[in-house]
Amino acid sequence: MKKLNLTIIIPTRNRPKLLTKTLLHLKKNKFFFKEVIIVDSSDKAEKKKLNKLKNFTNIKIKVL
């Protein structure tokens, strides 16, 4: 099945558990989109956790 030319944007702040759960769900349905952009306003420690999530799935993830 061909991926649609869609990007999912997730705004977040200090919610790594919810974000992980969301990415797990998206991983199961990855054929609907080509990438996920996470817009994060967390502190530095939380941003480090988010960067680790990039390796967590095979989804193209950008953390801004």
Side-chain angles (χ1 to χ4, degrees):
M1 179 175 263
K2 186 177 177 183
K3 288 184 182 180
L4 300 175
N5 194 16
L6 296 174
T7 298
I8 295 176
I9 301 173
I10 303 172
T12 187
R13 181 165 193 236
N14 298 328
R15 297 184 293 177
K17 289 182 183 178
L18 180 60
L19 185 58
T20 302
K21 185 176 179 180
T22 301
L23 290 175
L24 279 172
H25 178 72
L26 290 175
K27 183 179 179 179
K28 294 178 186 174
N29 299 297
K30 66 184 176 203
F31 55 88
F32 288 118
F33 55 90
K34 69 176 192 173
E35 69 180 348
V36 174
I37 297 176
I38 301 170
V39 180
D40 179 46
S41 60
S42 302
D43 58 14
K44 289 182 182 180
E46 290 297 324
K47 285 189 181 201
K48 285 182 183 179
K49 290 179 187 175
L50 287 179
N51 282 321
K52 289 180 182 177
L53 289 176
K54 287 182 181 182
N55 300 327
F56 180 67
T57 68
N58 55 354
I59 301 169
K60 182 179 176 185
I61 297 174
K62 295 180 184 177
V63 178
L64 303 177

